[in-house]
Amino acid sequence: MAISQPANELLAALQGADLDLLRPHLRTIDLKFGQILVEAGALLERVIFPHGGIVSSMIHLSKGQDIEVAAIGRDGVIGAEAVNETVAVATAVVRYPATASVIDCAHFRNAVDLSPTLSNLLLRYHWVRSVRAEQIAGCNAAHSAESRLCRRLLQSRDLAGSDCMQLGQDLMAQMLGVKRNTISLIAHALQQQGLIRYSRGRLAITDVNGLIQRSCECYRADRGGFAALPVERRSSVMIHRIGADCAEPQRLPS
């Protein structure tokens, strides 16, 4: 299906001359599961606007542990710090495939310099990211690992547009900043309760409402923020990617 509007919500918020500053330099790429888009400390060469899927922003701790600090979908951008920085501060890894629009950093910086609208949009986007980071910090301090895992599964479902995802225990441990055996115990309990079906790194959410009930309050708060991002939201096509070993998805709530 042809999409007249840009699939990424930040790009869709731009109109006329502001979008025209980027459009000639944008190209479409595939984001493949497990692909590293940029590594922490590496030179920033491109800015990526996902059309969907999930990209994890990861930091590496001195003891060898990798922690997810943000999940970016079609409402976000990877590498926008190139406006002021030359190297990446975090590693970006694809954990749900999609397509994306990509632009070289030099062209992106030039567009930001020429467009106050684009510059303000990026400031508002980074403000939303900052608010979410503060909320996650509070959530990590106050809520149980089980309720936090339920929240992250639901948020991943919202971003991916699918009830079925490829989520290994190592990745879920990185999402929460806990040990792998903690995830193993929680995932087993959730499966016994009929909330998820999990096997060989493939996870299907089978009871959305039940998972919401077990989630911490931060899911509802963050979901409100997700729906109210300070950009103009355009209609889009929600694509379900269902593996052969996953159940038929439930309809995503509006």
Side-chain angles (χ1 to χ4, degrees):
M1 178 180 295
I3 300 177
S4 58
Q5 305 290 351
N8 177 274
E9 293 184 4
L10 293 181
L11 294 180
L14 297 172
Q15 299 180 2
D18 298 299
L19 182 58
D20 288 341
L21 291 170
L22 298 173
R23 196 192 303 272
H25 309 292
L26 292 169
R27 59 189 185 276
T28 301
I29 62 171
D30 291 323
L31 303 181
K32 301 178 181 179
F33 177 79
Q35 179 183 2
I36 297 177
L37 301 179
V38 63
E39 292 195 65
L43 185 68
L44 286 167
E45 298 178 341
R46 58 184 184 171
V47 178
I48 302 169
F49 298 87
H51 299 168
I54 308 173
V55 177
S56 287
S57 181
M58 314 284 292
I59 60 171
H60 184 76
L61 303 182
S62 59
K63 293 184 178 180
Q65 190 176 14
D66 292 316
I67 303 295
E68 182 188 81
V69 294
I72 303 164
R74 69 184 300 269
D75 61 330
V77 58
I78 298 102
E81 64 269 26
V83 174
N84 300 307
E85 304 292 337
T86 57
V87 298
V89 297
T91 298
V93 184
V94 179
R95 63 179 175 89
Y96 196 91
T99 57
S101 295
V102 61
I103 184 172
D104 292 340
C105 284
H107 293 305
F108 181 72
R109 293 188 188 103
N110 183 61
V112 174
D113 288 340
L114 295 174
S115 172
T117 299
L118 176 57
S119 179
N120 289 335
L121 184 68
L122 291 173
L123 286 174
R124 295 203 304 272
Y125 170 69
H126 286 301
W127 176 82
V128 171
R129 285 281 301 270
S130 177
V131 170
R132 287 181 171 176
E134 291 176 355
Q135 183 180 349
I136 289 175
C139 179
N140 289 343
H143 298 143
S144 69
E146 180 184 89
S147 65
R148 289 191 290 127
L149 179 60
C150 292
R151 171 178 63 86
R152 297 308 296 271
L153 293 179
L154 289 165
Q155 290 172 338
S156 295
R157 174 181 181 269
D158 291 341
L159 286 175
S162 174
D163 292 310
C164 185
M165 293 162 283
Q166 190 168 340
L167 281 176
Q169 291 186 4
D170 287 336
L171 180 52
M172 286 189 279
Q174 292 169 2
M175 290 165 62
L176 267 64
V178 300
K179 294 183 178 180
R180 189 177 186 274
N181 62 342
T182 300
I183 295 296
S184 179
L185 292 171
I186 296 173
H188 177 73
L190 295 177
Q191 184 162 245
Q192 291 294 105
Q193 296 162 28
L195 303 182
I196 64 172
R197 188 169 70 252
Y198 179 72
S199 177
R200 297 182 180 180
R202 296 288 293 180
L203 186 145
I205 296 176
T206 53
D207 184 350
V208 175
N209 291 330
L211 209 60
I212 291 174
Q213 292 300 316
R214 301 301 294 269
S215 172
C216 63
E217 64 195 63
C218 299
Y219 172 64
R220 297 173 181 83
D222 185 69
R223 195 165 186 240
F226 179 86
L229 277 174
V231 298
E232 182 181 351
R233 299 176 66 87
R234 311 279 186 166
S235 59
S236 62
V237 178
M238 185 76 77
I239 301 174
H240 294 273
R241 300 173 182 268
I242 305 300
D245 57 339
C246 292
E248 190 68 21
Q250 302 171 7
R251 170 177 286 184
L252 296 182
S254 58

